[in-house]
């Protein structure tokens, strides 16, 4: 759904307008970078599963707009090949995001269905109760955190490679500021990793925070299939980038008149920029990692045949561990609140040391909601109110309106 | 691909596996000397890892399979990283599998799995460690990427072996931009490897731990793999630093056995100096409070940006 906007923006800028000026690109670029950072920072402090994922979508849309901005800049300056590469990154990321986010939303849906709970503070330990959902969601989590060899990494890699060229833009100052955008993209990607560790760790790992979670059940049949094919999509999109880029090339050909030249390259290696000699081979990388893991496992098994014993949690000898001592969603987001304090509006109620029944309450809200959306909504409401008297509910009045409009139009045309 | 290239690749991974604990032991020994203590044997990390492999593992009853899988994934990611970093030679067969950006991704895999494993049992210390580790990670990653950017602007590629090659092949010159980024890289290295001033590897106070807090519940072979992976991470970071800033000594391109044979002593010499330098930095600085770490990393980032601007303004 969100990507419809991306489609619209691409069609309007490259198809309808045709030849955008290069500096127009700076606007979506700046907006995109700001959106990415805001989205991911707010995702990090959410306590509701679905709100967390929604803010993460805000971040991804920001990343997409960053790519569109770069594409416009390059296209406007006649650097067609780079514009095509930036657009490929955008389209690739859109496809990736469709798979990853659908997988994560289906996963949270399964959790919601099984537990009736969306609040992260009341979940936990579901990997024991719902292993299918947990492990498949883990694929989505690793993908959206931008880890190789999954799909999220490929589009991020392409975008960063495109950014590396931005110093070649023949405009003073702009060519120095653009590479800094790459650092913001990297920060957003690294923060996305933070958000996803929080999301997965609190929902699926640790101990259940509520006793009611003991009845949670795993998905079955069709639900499983729905998750599995999305997870497979995430893996394949990550492992076979050349094939995906080849398919997307047709679209960039139409939009900016060029497509990355992948002819004569090995099918398993992504090397879109021949003059830079950079390459990325996810299959080889995966093979190396899996090979090392298997070898290590076998050596450990064969050479050191030692038993595994189960015992209660050690926790440095502390004997009275209970599930309330784990990090809550608020607790895990605390470093973000601390570092990016100026981004948030916080209401805090701190207990005094003498309090007999201490309470701690914190409410974090979005400055944009109050500062931008509510005023706009208020303005619309007032505008609507001021024209509301036009609505009389009588057909004769409406006929009069039509008549007056007709007369006015005739007067204008004649 | 010729035989020498594959030999380089094999030797390099083996060297990483074998030298990593030694490098850690060397840093610890240097630190002890600088602090007027009697140093432990530089071979101590080997004894520790060997001892752990010979023990029965104890795993918490609440642990999920993820907890047992994580040490292998972390170790696997670190070995894969070692395979693409040109520590001994640049003509590596695996070098086209991952460039420097993918290398950052490999290090991120290890970080994410370690944090997830730390949250798996649901102890207070584990989640605390995971949260802090991820915080340091997201602060360090942009700085590290800017460092890589500057190096790749100088050599027009993000492939680490080619960056090293081009620096050696070019006539010797001073690059002011590299000087700034070297400072930034050293700061990232200290933060990412849980060294002072961001974390203290020798601490016994759980509340101040970052890296150690995540490993509290591990024992025996799982702990051994985690410790070995941590040593490999330090070794990898040192070798990334060598490839970016002092690649001399590594065998360049597809040269013969002779250059390869020379590259091992060169690597050992570089590691010895780097270890001493790290120990010196750790000795003269104090551990920062956890929430001063963002300032530390922001400074690293600013140094990297300065390097970038210097490069773009001066073209060097």
């Amino acid at each position: 759904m969100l990507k419809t906007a991306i489609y619209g923006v691409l069609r309007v800028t490259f198809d309808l307008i045709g030849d955008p000026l290069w500096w127009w690109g700076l606007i979506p670029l700046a907006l995109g970078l700001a959106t990415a950072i805001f989205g991911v920072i707010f995702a990090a402090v959410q306590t509701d599963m679905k709100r967390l994922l929604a803010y993460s979508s805000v971040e991804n849309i920001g990343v997409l707009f960053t790519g569109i901005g770069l594409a416009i800049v390059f296209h406007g300056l006649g650097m067609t090949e780079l514009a095509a590469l930036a657009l490929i990154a955008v389209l690739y990321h859109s496809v990736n995001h469709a798979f990853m986010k659908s997988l994560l939303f289906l996963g949270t849906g399964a959790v919601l269905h099984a537990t009736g709970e969306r609040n992260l503070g009341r979940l936990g330990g579901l990997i024991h109760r719902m292993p299918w959902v947990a492990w498949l969601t883990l694929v989505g989590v690793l993908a959206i955190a931008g880890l190789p060899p999954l799909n999220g990494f490929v589009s991020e890699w392409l975008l960063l490679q495109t950014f590396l060229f931005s110093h070649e833009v023949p405009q003073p100052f702009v060519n120095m500021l653009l590479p800094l955008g790459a650092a913001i993209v990297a920060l957003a990607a690294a923060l996305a990793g933070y958000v996803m560790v929080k999301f997965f760790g609190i929902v699926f790992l640790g101990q259940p925070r509520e006793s009611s979670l003991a009845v949670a059940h795993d998905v079955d049949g069709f639900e499983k299939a729905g998750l599995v094919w999305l997870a497979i999509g995430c893996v394949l999109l990550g492992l076979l980038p050349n094939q995906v880029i080849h398919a997307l090339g047709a679209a960039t050909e139409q939009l900016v008149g060029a497509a990355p030249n992948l002819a004569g390259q090995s099918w398993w290696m992504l090397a879109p920029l021949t003059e830079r000699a950079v390459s990325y081979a996810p299959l080889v990388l995966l093979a190396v990692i899996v090979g090392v893991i298997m070898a290590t496992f076998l050596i450990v098994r064969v050479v050191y045949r030692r038993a595994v014993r189960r015992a209660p949690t050690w926790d440095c000898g502390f004997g009275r561990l209970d599930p309330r001592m784990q990090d809550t969603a608020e607790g895990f987001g605390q470093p973000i609140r601390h570092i990016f304090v100026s981004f948030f509006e916080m209401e805090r109620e701190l207990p005094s040391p003498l309090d007999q029944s201490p309470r701690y309450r914190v409410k974090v809200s979005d400055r944009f909601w109050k500062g931008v959306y509510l005023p706009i909504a208020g303005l619309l409401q007032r505008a609507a109110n001021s024209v509301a008297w036009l609505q009389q509910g009588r057909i004769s009045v409406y006929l009069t309106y039509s008549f007056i409009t007709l007369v006015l139009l005739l007067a204008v045309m004649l | 691909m010729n035989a020498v290239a594959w030999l380089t690749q094999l030797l390099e991974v083996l060297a990483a596996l074998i030298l990593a604990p030694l490098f850690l032991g060397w840093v610890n020994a240097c630190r002890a000397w600088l602090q007027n203590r009697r140093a432990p044997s530089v071979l101590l990390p080997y004894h520790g890892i060997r001892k752990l492999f010979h023990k029965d593992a104890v795993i918490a009853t609440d642990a999920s399979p993820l907890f047992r899988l994580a040490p292998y994934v972390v170790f696997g990611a670190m070995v894969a990283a070692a395979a693409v970093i040109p520590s001994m030679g640049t003509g590596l067969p695996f070098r086209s599998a991952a460039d420097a950006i993918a290398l950052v991704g490999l290090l991120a895999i290890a970080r994410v799995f370690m944090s997830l494993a730390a949250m798996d049992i649901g102890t207070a210390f584990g989640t605390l460690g995971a949260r802090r580790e991820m915080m340091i990670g997201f602060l360090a990653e942009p700085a590290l990427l800017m460092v890589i950017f500057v190096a790749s602007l100088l050599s027009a590629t993000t492939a680490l072996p080619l960056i090293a090659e081009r620096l050696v092949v070019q006539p010797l010159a001073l690059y002011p931009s590299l000087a700034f980024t070297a400072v930034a890289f050293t700061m990232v290295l200290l933060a990412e490897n849980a060294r002072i001033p961001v974390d203290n590897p020798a601490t016994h106070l759980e509340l101040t731990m970052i890296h150690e807090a995540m490993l509290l519940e591990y024992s025996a072979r799982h702990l051994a793999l985690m410790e070995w992976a941590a040593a490999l991470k330090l070794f990898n970071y040192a070798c990334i630093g060598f490839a970016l800033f002092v690649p001399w000594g590594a065998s360049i391109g597809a040269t013969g056995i002779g250059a390869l044979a020379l590259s091992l002593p060169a690597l050992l010499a570089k590691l010895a100096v780097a270890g001493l330098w790290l120990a010196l930095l750790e000795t003269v600085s104090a551990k920062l409070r956890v929430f001063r770490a963002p300032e530390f990393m922001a400074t690293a980032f600013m140094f990297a940006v300065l390097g970038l601007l210097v490069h773009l303004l001066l073209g060097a």
Side-chain angles (χ1 to χ4, degrees):
Chain A
M1 279 297 275
L2 293 167
K3 266 72 75 185
T4 324
I6 298 293
Y7 177 77
V9 169
L10 285 180
R11 290 306 290 258
V12 168
T13 1
F14 292 102
D15 258 10
L16 295 180
I17 300 182
D19 281 321
L21 294 176
W22 72 268
W23 57 266
W24 293 0
L26 299 181
I27 298 164
L29 186 69
L31 280 178
L33 289 174
T35 312
I37 286 295
F38 271 98
V40 75
I41 288 174
F42 278 104
V45 297
Q46 296 309 311
T47 53
D48 177 306
M49 286 194 289
K50 297 212 164 193
R51 281 176 76 97
L52 185 145
L53 291 183
Y55 271 113
S56 154
S57 293
V58 172
E59 180 233 336
N60 282 288
I61 293 294
V63 170
L64 288 171
F65 268 92
T66 309
I68 293 178
L70 270 185
I72 296 176
V73 169
F74 288 136
H75 186 60
L77 290 166
M79 302 153 94
T80 322
E81 260 178 88
L82 289 177
L85 193 67
L87 266 188
I88 285 282
V90 170
L91 296 171
Y92 206 135
H93 197 68
S94 311
V95 178
N96 285 345
H97 187 245
F99 273 87
M100 312 186 283
K101 209 32 95 47
S102 309
L103 178 60
L104 292 182
F105 266 116
L106 282 185
T108 51
V111 170
L112 183 62
H113 181 67
T115 63
E117 198 55 70
R118 286 167 46 166
N119 187 341
L120 291 168
R122 293 171 188 276
L123 292 163
L126 288 176
I127 196 169
H128 301 286
R129 297 266 150 219
M130 312 174 72
W132 275 88
V133 178
W135 287 98
L136 290 170
T137 307
L138 182 63
V139 174
V141 159
L142 297 179
I144 207 162
L147 297 182
L150 292 166
N151 60 353
F153 179 76
V154 183
S155 41
E156 196 186 298
W157 188 84
L158 285 169
L159 189 62
L160 287 175
Q161 290 289 355
T162 324
F163 257 118
L164 267 173
F165 280 98
S166 56
H167 74 284
E168 290 172 11
V169 165
Q171 302 288 340
F173 300 114
V174 177
N175 65 354
M176 293 185 192
L177 287 177
L178 281 182
L180 294 185
I184 299 182
V185 171
L187 178 62
L191 274 167
Y194 187 97
V195 171
M196 286 301 139
V197 167
K198 165 180 165 168
F199 169 75
F200 190 81
I202 289 185
V203 175
F204 292 104
L205 303 178
Q207 299 168 42
R209 290 179 176 78
E210 298 282 322
S211 50
S212 61
L213 296 179
V215 298
H217 54 88
D218 209 352
V219 289
D220 53 11
F222 286 117
E223 289 174 298
K224 217 178 269 180
L227 287 166
V228 166
W229 86 269
L230 287 171
I232 292 177
C234 282
V235 174
L236 286 183
L237 281 170
L239 291 182
L240 301 168
N242 275 18
Q243 287 69 6
V244 183
I245 291 177
H246 184 73
L248 294 174
T252 60
E253 186 84 46
Q254 283 180 10
L255 288 175
V256 295
N261 179 21
L262 298 175
Q265 291 186 5
S266 330
W267 61 272
W268 45 269
M269 191 186 304
L270 174 63
L273 311 149
T274 38
E275 72 271 33
R276 290 187 82 99
V278 291
S279 53
Y280 166 60
L283 276 171
V284 177
L285 208 55
L286 181 69
V288 171
I289 298 176
V290 172
V292 173
I293 291 174
M294 306 261 276
T296 319
F297 189 75
L298 282 178
I299 292 173
V300 168
R301 267 294 146 93
V302 174
V303 179
Y304 306 103
R305 265 176 292 178
R306 304 305 305 203
V308 169
R309 189 157 57 84
R310 290 276 179 170
T313 307
W314 177 51
D315 201 32
C316 302
F318 182 70
R320 295 203 326 237
L321 189 73
D322 76 49
R324 312 260 327 146
M325 290 173 190
Q326 306 170 80
D327 256 18
T328 54
E330 289 88 350
F332 207 87
Q334 189 259 354
I336 305 283
R337 283 210 311 271
H338 198 100
I339 296 171
F340 299 100
V341 68
S342 52
F343 286 63
F344 305 108
E345 205 172 273
M346 275 191 277
E347 282 173 47
R348 252 202 283 212
E349 210 177 278
L350 296 173
S352 93
L354 304 173
D355 223 331
Q356 287 301 315
S357 54
R359 271 175 58 80
Y360 172 77
R361 197 178 64 86
V362 61
K363 187 167 177 254
V364 180
S365 48
D366 184 339
R367 279 183 196 276
F368 273 85
W369 184 247
K370 274 198 183 138
V372 179
Y373 290 105
L374 287 184
I376 290 178
L379 208 65
L380 274 176
Q381 187 68 43
R382 252 178 291 155
N385 283 341
S386 63
V387 296
W389 59 268
L390 284 171
Q391 187 192 11
Q392 300 283 348
R394 276 165 49 194
I395 195 120
S396 54
V397 178
Y398 293 148
L399 283 174
T400 321
Y401 290 161
S402 310
F403 180 70
I404 294 171
T405 314
L406 203 63
V407 170
L408 278 177
L409 280 177
L410 280 174
V412 170
M413 294 310 288
L414 299 173
Chain B
M1 283 302 150
N2 55 14
V4 177
W6 282 101
L7 185 69
T8 314
Q9 184 74 69
L10 187 72
L11 281 180
E12 205 185 273
V13 174
L14 283 179
L17 285 173
I18 294 167
L19 291 181
L22 182 69
F23 182 51
L24 190 63
W26 169 247
V27 176
N28 289 341
C30 287
R31 205 157 65 136
W33 288 326
L34 285 168
Q35 293 167 351
N36 261 338
R37 291 186 285 131
R38 264 181 62 193
S41 158
V42 286
L43 302 178
L44 190 64
Y46 293 111
H47 292 296
I49 290 172
R50 186 173 166 276
K51 178 188 78 186
L52 287 171
F53 270 123
H54 282 287
K55 283 180 178 259
D56 280 354
V58 182
I59 288 182
T61 36
D62 295 328
S64 75
L66 183 80
F67 186 77
R68 296 173 75 169
L69 177 71
Y72 295 98
V73 176
V74 172
F75 188 73
M78 281 306 158
V79 175
V84 294
I85 300 171
S87 57
M88 288 173 67
T90 59
L92 303 171
F94 284 144
R95 76 178 189 183
S96 53
D99 67 340
I101 300 176
L103 188 62
V104 175
L106 275 175
L107 299 171
I109 293 181
R111 179 164 62 234
V112 165
F113 267 89
M114 203 183 260
S115 304
L116 287 178
M119 294 181 80
D120 186 51
I121 292 178
T123 62
F125 292 135
T127 42
L128 174 140
R131 156 161 50 104
R132 288 181 179 170
E133 169 80 0
M134 291 311 288
M135 179 186 87
I136 302 294
F138 84 72
L139 292 167
E141 228 176 79
L144 182 57
L145 212 73
M146 281 326 262
V147 171
I148 290 170
F149 260 38
V150 177
S152 63
L153 286 181
L154 278 171
S155 51
T157 176
T158 53
L160 209 47
L162 290 179
I163 292 176
E165 251 173 44
R166 288 182 190 171
L167 199 56
V168 175
V169 172
Q170 277 162 10
L172 195 60
L174 282 177
Y175 297 100
S177 53
L178 279 189
F180 283 109
T181 45
V183 176
F185 181 79
T186 314
M187 292 170 88
V188 171
L189 185 151
L190 289 173
E192 280 275 49
N193 287 288
R195 316 297 300 182
I196 290 176
V198 175
D199 189 5
N200 184 357
T203 186
H204 296 290
L205 279 171
E206 291 91 347
L207 284 176
T208 63
M209 287 178 177
I210 301 178
H211 178 76
E212 297 291 322
M214 294 195 291
L215 305 183
L216 282 176
E217 298 297 325
Y218 274 112
S219 62
R221 56 174 179 256
H222 303 114
L223 183 60
L225 283 175
M226 283 293 204
E227 300 271 7
W228 202 349
L232 267 172
K233 187 176 180 186
L234 183 62
F235 180 86
N236 281 344
Y237 262 93
C239 288
I240 295 174
F242 298 153
L244 290 177
F245 306 113
V246 277
W248 294 276
S251 73
I252 296 301
T255 41
I257 299 282
L260 187 60
L262 272 180
S263 69
L264 187 62
L267 178 65
L268 286 173
K270 284 192 277 190
L271 283 175
V273 175
L276 195 61
W277 175 238
L278 267 184
L280 187 67
L281 282 179
E282 282 197 85
T283 307
V284 296
S285 50
K287 162 119 170 43
L288 295 171
R289 282 170 55 219
V290 169
F291 281 110
R292 295 289 298 279
E295 292 166 33
F296 183 75
M297 299 317 296
T299 315
F301 179 71
M302 287 324 291
F303 270 113
V305 169
L306 268 179
L308 180 79
L309 292 181
V310 165
H311 170 75
L312 291 174
L313 286 171
L314 303 180

